[in-house]
Amino acid sequence: MPLETYPPELPPIPPQPPIDPSDHATYMRLALDQAQESPPKPSNYRVGALIVDGNTGAILNRGYTLELEGNTHAEQCCLSKYASAHAVLEEQVGEMLPANTVLYTTMEPCNLRLSGNLPCVDRIIRTKGEDGKPRIRKVYIGVKEPEKFVGDNQGRKKLEENGIEVVHVTGFEEDILRVATAGHEK
């Protein structure tokens, strides 16, 4: 129905209630929804990610594997789009992020990129404010990265060595891996 003929007597749809910042399952489900937007390919995992203000629960940005041009990962897309929206380079995105930003990602962030792109772990670590303090202080993951492409991913270890807490949100492993590996040979 064209907008101009829409019955004016219907009330507008109210805004969605905010998500409680401690409702990690809801954020992980939303990240999984993002992963499903990624095109299935045999050479990539379909991953979804969100950056969230840890104090208010506001979703700052969303991303998924191959959302942007090139061989882009979900975390990379989140940060790149947020930087673009704030007219800064991705390297400066930390200057725009709230002090207590958290990242939700369906899969452990990569520590090695076969494409030569900067690994997502390094992108997360460099999100520092003008005061030099990290802006992403906590990363919630749904699953550890399978060893198919790069072997044993040391992403979690590197994040923790840099003072970033990594928390496994349980209960989504089967769904995440099903979505992540769509397009892979069985």
Side-chain angles (χ1 to χ4, degrees):
M1 175 182 307
L3 185 57
E4 52 275 353
T5 62
Y6 190 77
E9 65 276 0
L10 290 178
I13 297 172
Q16 295 299 311
I19 302 168
D20 181 326
S22 66
D23 186 356
H24 308 302
T26 293
Y27 289 112
M28 192 57 68
R29 273 193 292 278
L30 292 170
L32 183 56
D33 288 347
Q34 287 294 295
Q36 293 180 67
E37 297 294 321
S38 180
K41 289 180 66 176
S43 57
N44 289 83
Y45 291 118
R46 297 170 71 209
V47 176
L50 310 171
I51 48 176
V52 175
D53 183 321
N55 293 331
T56 68
I59 296 172
L60 304 172
N61 221 309
R62 304 163 190 253
Y64 58 86
T65 304
L66 302 176
E67 178 180 10
L68 300 177
E69 187 176 332
N71 185 17
T72 54
H73 286 190
E75 303 90 340
Q76 175 184 2
C77 291
C78 270
L79 294 169
S80 181
K81 291 186 327 183
Y82 192 82
S84 180
H86 290 84
V88 297
L89 298 172
E90 187 187 334
E91 295 82 15
Q92 300 168 306
V93 72
E95 297 169 15
M96 300 292 147
L97 290 169
N100 187 26
T101 301
V102 297
L103 172 75
Y104 287 85
T105 181
T106 55
M107 190 173 289
E108 173 187 18
C110 67
N111 187 47
L112 174 68
R113 298 283 296 271
L114 298 177
S115 65
N117 288 330
L118 186 68
C120 294
V121 165
D122 294 329
R123 291 173 193 277
I124 295 165
I125 291 168
R126 76 176 179 192
T127 58
K128 296 184 176 171
E130 291 179 348
D131 59 3
K133 293 182 179 177
R135 290 300 187 244
I136 297 178
R137 298 176 184 203
K138 195 176 285 189
V139 175
Y140 293 93
I141 64 170
V143 296
K144 180 170 176 46
E145 181 178 2
E147 296 185 8
K148 180 175 183 173
F149 296 124
V150 295
D152 184 27
N153 182 6
Q154 296 293 310
R156 180 180 192 145
K157 179 181 179 200
K158 188 170 183 179
L159 288 170
E160 291 172 341
E161 288 172 351
N162 282 274
I164 299 169
E165 185 179 356
V166 179
V167 179
H168 179 204
V169 179
T170 60
F172 296 91
E173 296 84 357
E174 186 177 317
D175 289 336
I176 288 172
L177 289 172
R178 180 183 43 76
V179 170
T181 59
H184 294 200
E185 289 183 21
K186 302 295 180 197

